Amino acid sequence: MSRFLVDRDGETRVRLSEGMELTKTQSVLAVVGLVVLFAVPDITRLTGLSFQAIHRGILFGLAAVGLNLLLRHTELVSFGHAAFFGVGAYGAAVLASHFEVSSGLLLLLGGVLAATTIAVLIGYFVSGYLDIYFALLTLAFNQVLYAFVLQSGYFNYSDGLSVRPDGLNPPTLFGLQWTSTGYDLILYYFTVVVLVGSLLVMWKLVNSPFGRALDAIGQDRTRARFVGIPVEKYVWIAFVISGIYGGLAGGLFALLQLHVSPDPTLYAFVSGEILFMAILGGFGTLVGPVVGGVVLVYLLIQAPFYVEYYNAVTGLVLIGVVLFLPEGILGSVPKIGTGLARRRRDPGLLRDDIAAIGSSIRRGVTRAVTTVRIIVFGVN
Amino acid sequence: MLEHVLNGLYYGSVLFMIASGMTIIFGVLGILNLAHGELYALGAFCAFSIVGFFAGQVAAPTGPVTAIVFALVVLAGSLAAAAVLLPVGGALEATFVRPIYDRDEVYQLLLTYGLLLVLTDVMKFVWGPSPVDVGVFSGINEIPTTELVGFSYPSYNVLVILIGVAVFGWLVWFFDRTKTGRIVRATAINREMSTAIGVSTDRMFTLVFAIGAFFAGFGGAMVSIGPGSASLGMGLRWLVLSFVVIVIGGLGSLRGAFVGALLVGVSSRIVTPYFPQLELAVPFLLMVLVLLVRPEGLYGTWGEIQ
C-alpha cells in the first residue's frame, strides 16, 4: 500500500493525513463536491442561477458549520450566532471605513479577531447553561449587540458602514486592485479555499480527543465531569471556535457585499436562519450545514423574484423537512439511497409504499375531522 | 415620571397578554412557539376586520355614555377577533405541532419558524402588504378618565392596564380553581399518568394551544384598536420581547410572565426618555442580568441548571 492508500476493515481507503481517511464512495463524493464548488461560476453562467446568492449561501453555510460544532457535539442550541457573523462583518467594515485599511485579507483578519474577542466574552458567561436557557441567553447577548450597533453613531446606525476603503473601490485582494467581476470571482475562489480548509479543520477537530470530549459533554454533563473533563472550559473553547467560524464567514460577507448594515448581519432572525441552515442541511453531518446554507439563502433571496408569497414557500420547505426529512437534506441521502436500492431489487415494495401513503393520508383526514369535531362541539 | 410608569404599565400589559399565551404553551406543551408573534399579528388583523364591522354598526361617540357604549362594542369586537384564533390555534396544533412533541427542540423551533413564515404570507394574502388601522382609538379615548389619575392621560391605556390585570386574574383562576385547569396542569406534569386516569392529552394540548393563541390574538386586537396599527412585520419584535419576558419570569410560570412583563414595560418606558439610545437594549440587559443572578428566572422552579 502506498502512502495515500490504506487498507482498513477490508476496504481500501484514501488517506489524507493521520487519522483522516475516506472510503471510496466518500472520496468520489468529495471530489465531485470540490469540482462543483469550483465550477459554480460557470454553472451559474450557463444555467442562470444567481452567483451572488450561492456565494452568500456558502458564507452563511460556513457560519452554520461553526454553529454545528455546538449543536451536534455538545447539543447546545445557540440562538445568537449572528453575533459573531455580524461582529466579523463589522470588524472588517470598521477597519475599512474608519482606518482605511485597503487589504482585503487584513480586513478579514480584523473581523475574525473582533469576533473571537466577542466569542471569548460571551462564552465566558454562557458556557455553564443548558438547553433553552443557553439558547435564550445567547439570543439576549446577540440582541444587546444588535441594539448597541443600531444606536451607535460610530457604526452609522441602521444605515451601516461601507467596505470601500477609499470610498470608491473594493478592497484589494492579494495586493491587487481588481475589476468588479474579477473581484467577485477571486473572492469566490478564496471563499471556496477557506471553506474547504475550515471543513478539514473541523473534521480534524471533531475526530480529535477534544471532539470526543465534546460528544461526552453532549451526552451527559455529569458523567463527563466525573471522567475528568473540565466541562465549562471545553464548552467555552468550543463556543470560541464556533465564533471564529462565524467571524470568518462574516468578514467574507463584508468583503462580498462591500456594505454592512445591522439587519442582514446581526439581527436575531439571522441567528435563527443560521441555526435552521444547519438543521435543514443535516446537522448530523459535516458538510450538511453548507448545503442547508446554500438552499435556505437561495430560497430567501431568489424566491421573491418568482412568487409573491415567497415566505410561505420557504416556510413550507422547512415544515416539510421537519416532518418528512428529519435528518436534513444531506443527512437523508444515505437513507434514500438504500431505500431506492431496495426498491430496485424488490419492486413489490413499491406497492407497499403506495399503500402506506394511502393509509397515512386516510389517517390524516380522520384526525383532521376529529379535531374539527372537538373544536366545534367541545367533545369528540 | 408617573406618566412614564403608566406608559410602562400599558406596554407591560400588552406584553403580558402575548407572553402569557407563549408561557402556557411552553409550560404545558414544552414547545417554544416561534409562530406566536404571528398569532398576535393575526389577532390584530382580525380586529381590523371584525371591530371595524362592529364599530360601523354604532354611531361615533358624542358624550361619555355613548363613548362607553362604543367602547363596549369595540371590546366585544376584539373578543370576537381573538376568538377567531381559537380554531386557528387548535388546527395548527393538531396538524403541525402534534407530530413533533417527542422530537428534539431544534425541530420544534424549525417547524414553528416555518409556521411563522407561512402565517405571514397568509396575512399578506388576506389583508395585503400595507399596514391597516381600525381607527376607533380616538372614539374609545373620549371616555374621561383624566380625573382618575390626576392628570391628562389617555383613558384607553388605563383600560388596557385593567384588561391586562383581568387576564392575569382569569388565568390564575382558571389554572388554580377550575377542574379543567387542574387537569391541564396535571397533564403538563405527567403525561402518562394523566392518560392513565382517562385524560385525553391530545385534546388538552389542542385546548391549551388554542387558549395561548387566543390571548396572543387578544393582545394583538388591543394594540390594533389602540394607537398602533396592524402590519405584517409587527409580530417579530413582540416575539423576541415575549421571549425576554418569559425568561425573566421563569419559563412556564404565569406569575413570572406577569411580573416580567411589567418589569420590562416599566423599565424600558422609564429609561427611554432619559437615554433614548438604550431603548432597544433595556429588555435584553434586564434579561442578561436576571439570568446571570437567577438562572432559572424570577419565579422559575424547574429547569436543569448547572
Side-chain angles (χ1 to χ4, degrees), chain B residues 14-26:
Chain B
V14 176
L15 200 47
F16 169 69
M17 280 183 247
I18 304 160
S20 68
M22 191 178 229
T23 205
I24 59 173
I25 290 177
F26 182 81

Side-chain angles (χ1 to χ4, degrees), chain A residues 41-251:
Chain A
D42 301 307
I43 295 174
T44 51
R45 212 173 25 240
L46 288 177
T47 56
L49 294 167
S50 164
F51 176 49
Q52 182 104 359
I54 292 181
H55 193 170
R56 272 174 75 169
I58 291 177
L59 292 179
F60 276 101
L62 180 58
V65 169
L67 174 86
N68 202 21
L69 177 66
L70 288 172
L71 187 63
R72 179 185 176 189
H73 299 282
T74 54
E75 297 194 359
L76 290 169
V77 183
S78 163
F79 226 83
H81 214 65
F84 314 120
F85 191 83
V87 168
Y90 265 96
V94 164
L95 279 184
S97 53
H98 289 306
F99 300 96
E100 283 167 20
V101 176
S102 63
S103 157
L105 295 185
L106 274 183
L107 295 179
L108 185 59
L109 187 67
V112 172
L113 284 181
T116 313
T117 319
I118 291 291
V120 169
L121 276 176
I122 298 180
Y124 174 76
F125 289 110
V126 302
S127 55
Y129 291 81
L130 274 176
D131 293 342
I132 210 83
Y133 293 91
F134 182 84
L136 291 169
L137 201 56
T138 45
L139 172 78
F141 277 108
N142 187 157
Q143 282 300 91
V144 169
L145 268 179
Y146 170 75
F148 176 70
V149 167
L150 194 64
Q151 313 215 322
S152 149
Y154 189 71
F155 298 108
N156 199 14
Y157 309 108
S158 62
D159 290 339
L161 295 169
S162 160
V163 194
R164 296 174 189 270
D166 53 1
L168 190 66
N169 293 308
T172 59
L173 286 174
F174 309 109
L176 289 172
Q177 190 75 58
W178 302 83
T179 59
S180 127
T181 333
Y183 178 82
D184 281 352
L185 268 182
I186 293 296
L187 189 66
Y188 177 75
Y189 287 121
F190 181 61
T191 307
V192 171
V193 171
V194 169
L195 175 74
V196 173
S198 316
L199 284 174
L200 286 177
V201 170
M202 184 59 84
W203 187 22
K204 196 88 182 153
L205 194 73
V206 298
N207 288 307
S208 69
F210 177 70
R212 303 279 178 239
L214 291 185
D215 280 334
I217 294 172
Q219 280 165 18
D220 192 330
R221 284 203 167 204
T222 322
R223 198 167 61 199
R225 193 168 288 127
F226 281 172
V227 297
I229 299 169
V231 173
E232 269 82 29
K233 202 159 103 196
Y234 272 31
V235 171
W236 189 12
I237 294 172
F239 194 81
V240 172
I241 294 172
S242 106
I244 292 173
Y245 275 72
L248 196 58

Side-chain angles (χ1 to χ4, degrees), chain B residues 86-167:
Chain B
L86 284 171
V88 169
L92 285 181
E93 195 273 345
T95 325
F96 295 109
V97 188
R98 193 173 293 169
I100 57 154
Y101 280 125
D102 40 1
R103 298 264 283 276
D104 252 9
E105 64 196 24
V106 282
Y107 290 112
Q108 302 167 354
L109 291 175
L110 192 63
L111 183 105
T112 48
Y113 181 71
L115 284 181
L116 180 160
L117 293 175
V118 173
L119 278 175
T120 317
D121 271 6
V122 169
M123 283 181 277
K124 191 171 161 191
F125 176 73
V126 179
W127 285 280
S130 45
V132 292
D133 193 3
V134 193
V136 292
F137 175 58
S138 54
I140 317 173
N141 219 7
E142 277 186 17
I143 308 170
T145 49
T146 309
E147 296 81 18
L148 211 70
V149 288
F151 59 91
S152 170
Y153 190 73
S155 52
Y156 177 74
N157 291 12
V158 179
L159 195 71
V160 171
I161 296 172
L162 294 178
I163 290 174
V165 174
V167 166

Side-chain angles (χ1 to χ4, degrees), chain B residues 171-228:
Chain B
L171 281 171
V172 168
W173 172 78
F174 177 74
F175 281 109
D176 269 7
R177 293 275 178 269
T178 66
K179 195 181 167 200
T180 321
R182 288 178 182 186
I183 292 175
V184 168
R185 274 169 55 201
T187 318
I189 293 165
N190 193 331
R191 286 177 206 185
E192 284 78 25
M193 192 60 82
S194 47
T195 318
I197 57 169
V199 175
S200 159
T201 44
D202 282 358
R203 205 184 303 172
M204 274 304 137
F205 285 3
T206 308
L207 174 77
V208 167
F209 203 93
I211 292 178
F214 175 84
F215 283 111
F218 194 55
M222 287 289 113
V223 165
S224 165
I225 60 177

Side-chain angles (χ1 to χ4, degrees), chain B residues 284-305:
Chain B
F284 298 100
L285 288 174
L286 200 64
M287 169 173 167
V288 169
L289 279 182
V290 169
L291 277 189
L292 291 178
V293 179
R294 261 187 81 86
E296 69 276 26
L298 293 178
Y299 291 93
T301 46
W302 53 273
E304 202 186 348
I305 297 290

Side-chain angles (χ1 to χ4, degrees), chain A residues 53-65 273-274 276-282 287-301 329:
Chain A
I54 292 181
H55 193 170
R56 272 174 75 169
I58 291 177
L59 292 179
F60 276 101
L62 180 58
V65 169
E273 279 162 22
I274 296 177
F276 300 146
M277 284 163 198
I279 306 164
L280 180 64
V287 195
V290 182
V291 176
V294 174
V295 171
L296 189 57
V297 170
Y298 205 87
L299 273 176
L300 289 172
I301 295 183
I329 298 171

